[in-house]
Amino acid sequence: MSYPATWRRPPQIFTHRGWRIGLYLAALVWLVLALSSVEVNGTRIAEGGERGLRFVQGFLAPDFTSRWRDISQGLVESLTMTLTSTVVGVAISIPIGLGAARNLAPRWIYAICRGIIAASRALQEIIVAIFFVAMFGFGPFAGFLTLSFATIGFIAKLLAEDIEDIDEAQAEAIRATGAGWLQLVNYGIQPQVMPRLIGLSLYRLDINFRESAVIGIVGAGGIGATLNTAIDRYEYDSAGAILLMIIALVMVAEYASSHLRKYLQ
């Protein structure tokens, strides 16, 4: 197979100079109209800047003691939601990922599993959290269901793509021995995708902890609810303490997962 030795500029979509100038002008006009539609209120900007300054001052002088009971309870809820939702989500994602692999599942199972993945990925976590809070009330149970639902779409999609990209020679060798479907998955597919699945699970663990701080704002429990309460009460020093703890835990989880992935690989 021969490769070109010189670089050639790709063909332009619009070759006429007038069309290109017209597109630039249209983009400029659209930008001006979009900016003009934004209502800029100087009074609100000044008030927001003042509140932002108070928040920064509270962040620089965090208070870990006055609301430590609420903060610790929120952290426990977030960590519990994160761990349980990741384990349950990954456990459910594995059969869905197997069914969503075109080279492994029948067409009707493939269509059903891809539909489940699409439904999970189509809805953002905050919207799902609002729905579950309306169904089951405030608290960490709604957050657990939200993060589990989001984990299914994330893990199952990437797992299915990894299965579709496996080395088919190894799978064909297993099939040639007369192995059944479960034996094919266990000996022909699982060794190829397991390191990737573990890495994705650890990555999703990090995401779920960060998302637990977001969905708590709508009442799904966790440290996010504590943070929202502190901000509503203008307790910016407590809010700064909560943010610092979230940052510290995310950094610890990131370093731990990176070392674990390196060890597994």
Side-chain angles (χ1 to χ4, degrees), residues 11-181:
Q12 296 181 342
I13 299 177
F14 298 100
T15 57
H16 194 275
R17 179 180 176 84
W19 278 106
R20 295 198 298 270
I21 295 176
L23 287 174
Y24 294 150
L25 291 176
L28 181 61
V29 170
W30 177 85
L31 179 61
V32 172
L33 293 175
L35 292 176
S36 63
S37 65
V38 178
E39 297 181 0
V40 180
N41 190 318
T43 304
R44 293 180 61 185
I45 292 176
E47 293 177 353
E50 183 181 353
R51 288 194 296 266
L53 180 60
R54 292 202 304 267
F55 181 80
V56 172
Q57 291 173 348
F59 187 83
L60 295 176
D63 181 11
F64 293 91
T65 57
S66 8
R67 298 197 61 191
W68 173 248
R69 182 176 180 180
D70 295 334
I71 294 174
S72 59
Q73 181 180 355
L75 282 176
V76 170
E77 287 184 357
S78 284
L79 292 173
T80 303
M81 284 193 303
T82 299
L83 182 60
T84 54
S85 63
T86 303
V87 172
V88 172
V90 170
I92 299 175
S93 299
I94 292 175
I96 295 177
L98 292 172
R102 186 180 290 104
N103 59 340
L104 191 61
R107 184 173 295 275
W108 66 274
I109 295 180
Y110 171 83
I112 294 174
C113 292
R114 283 290 175 176
I116 295 173
I117 293 174
S120 175
R121 291 172 55 81
L123 300 175
Q124 213 273 340
E125 283 86 347
I126 196 74
I127 299 175
V128 180
I130 294 173
F131 177 72
F132 282 130
V133 167
M135 287 182 61
F136 302 105
F138 297 99
F141 182 66
F144 159 75
L145 294 177
T146 300
L147 297 178
S148 299
F149 183 74
T151 301
I152 291 172
F154 180 85
I155 297 293
K157 175 179 172 58
L158 296 177
L159 177 61
E161 292 178 353
D162 288 339
I163 294 174
E164 291 177 348
D165 294 336
I166 63 170
D167 183 8
E168 288 293 343
Q170 183 173 344
E172 287 297 329
I174 299 298
R175 289 191 183 97
T177 62
W181 188 84

Side-chain angles (χ1 to χ4, degrees), residues 173-196:
I174 299 298
R175 289 191 183 97
T177 62
W181 188 84
L182 289 177
Q183 292 173 319
L184 170 65
V185 172
N186 190 28
Y187 297 106
I189 296 175
Q190 180 263 341
Q192 299 189 57
V193 301
M194 182 58 72
R196 171 74 168 165

Side-chain angles (χ1 to χ4, degrees), residues 216-239:
I217 296 176
V218 297
I223 193 63
T226 309
L227 176 62
N228 188 44
T229 303
I231 294 176
D232 289 341
R233 295 178 178 178
Y234 301 103
E235 298 174 353
Y236 296 125
D237 49 358
S238 298

